[in-house]
């Protein structure tokens, strides 16, 4: 139902997530970030409690891979879920459950991950990767939006679009951007 990106910016210490879907008010239950800690996206069958628990685990010092293992192990529906986790060291872990809707997939790069399900094709995710990689000189919020726009231009969610969200945290305990 969704395509998204979660990333960190090593230069500024910012973390951010950007997401688009046919589901209304997507940002309310899918995008999570905490200053100095990391960022998490939960989608497909979104479970905001997993993201809240995941941020707490990241804050305790676990890395993205460890947190992903713990969350998937404790989840009652991991096959129906997608998660992107970015930790304070810009480590990335992504999970795409085998029961999420086709086309589904995920990819990671240096300090970021993209994931999607119910997509027109894998071109959505490849376009997101390319846009993020080629906008390295931009600030993190701009890079995230460019990535999302590229995914939409490549087909995006096969059902169309209804909502999007952008959440970025910097050094303060409140969001730098929350749209």
């Amino acid at each position: 139902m969704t395509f998204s990106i979660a990333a960190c910016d090593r230069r500024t210490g910012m973390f951010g997530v950007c997401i688009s879907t046919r589901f209304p008010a997507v940002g309310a239950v899918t995008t999570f970030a905490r200053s100095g800690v990391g960022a998490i996206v939960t989608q497909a069958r979104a479970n905001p409690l997993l993201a809240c628990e995941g941020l707490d685990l990241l804050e305790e010092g676990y890395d993205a891979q460890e947190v992903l293992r713990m969350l998937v192990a404790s989840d009652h529906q991991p096959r129906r879920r997608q998660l992107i986790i970015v930790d304070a060291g810009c480590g990335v872990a992504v999970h795409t459950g085998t029961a999420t809707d086709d086309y589904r997939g995920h990819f990671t790069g240096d300090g970021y991950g993209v994931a999607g399900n119910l997509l027109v094709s894998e071109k959505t995710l490849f376009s997101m990767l390319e846009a993020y990689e080629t906008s390295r000189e931009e600030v993190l919020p701009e890079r995230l939006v460019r990535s999302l726009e590229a995914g939409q231009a490549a087909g995006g969610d096969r059902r169309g679009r209804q909502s999007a969200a952008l959440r970025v945290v910097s050094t303060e305990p409140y969001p730098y951007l929350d749209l």
Side-chain angles (χ1 to χ4, degrees):
M1 74 175 197
T2 307
F3 57 100
S4 62
I5 181 169
C8 72
D9 184 328
R10 294 179 200 281
R11 293 176 297 184
T12 65
M14 288 181 166
F15 295 96
V17 294
C18 200
I19 191 167
S20 179
T21 189
R22 175 70 168 83
F23 184 81
V26 68
V29 296
T30 60
T31 59
F32 297 83
R34 191 177 296 164
S35 298
V37 174
I40 298 178
V41 175
T42 173
Q43 62 192 42
R45 303 296 190 277
N47 182 343
L49 296 175
L50 289 175
C52 294
E53 180 183 347
L55 286 173
D56 290 345
L57 291 167
L58 289 173
E59 193 163 35
E60 289 176 21
Y62 294 100
D63 69 25
Q65 292 291 335
E66 294 168 318
V67 170
L68 181 64
R69 279 192 292 278
M70 288 186 269
L71 293 180
V72 169
S74 70
D75 189 3
H76 68 284
Q77 290 187 321
R79 294 178 54 240
R80 296 187 166 278
R81 243 174 287 285
Q82 281 187 305
L83 293 164
I84 307 172
I85 302 171
V86 180
D87 64 32
C90 292
V92 179
V94 185
H95 167 78
T96 296
T98 58
T100 55
D101 296 307
D102 280 334
Y103 170 81
R104 64 179 171 264
H106 66 262
F107 299 100
T108 61
D110 183 25
Y112 71 94
V114 297
N117 63 88
L118 268 173
L119 302 178
V120 171
S121 73
E122 66 183 7
K123 186 175 179 190
T124 298
L125 298 179
F126 287 130
S127 296
M128 292 175 73
L129 287 169
E130 182 179 5
Y132 190 78
E133 288 287 339
T134 59
S135 61
R136 290 178 192 233
E137 299 306 313
E138 300 288 339
V139 295
L140 182 63
E142 182 66 29
R143 293 181 78 189
L144 295 171
V145 170
R146 285 182 190 268
S147 179
L148 200 69
E149 289 173 336
Q152 185 63 49
D157 187 323
R158 70 177 183 225
R159 301 164 303 160
R161 63 180 175 204
Q162 186 168 351
S163 70
L166 169 66
R167 180 170 291 163
V168 177
V169 296
S170 186
T171 57
E172 301 298 330
Y174 52 84
Y176 175 81
L177 276 174
D178 192 359
L179 305 172

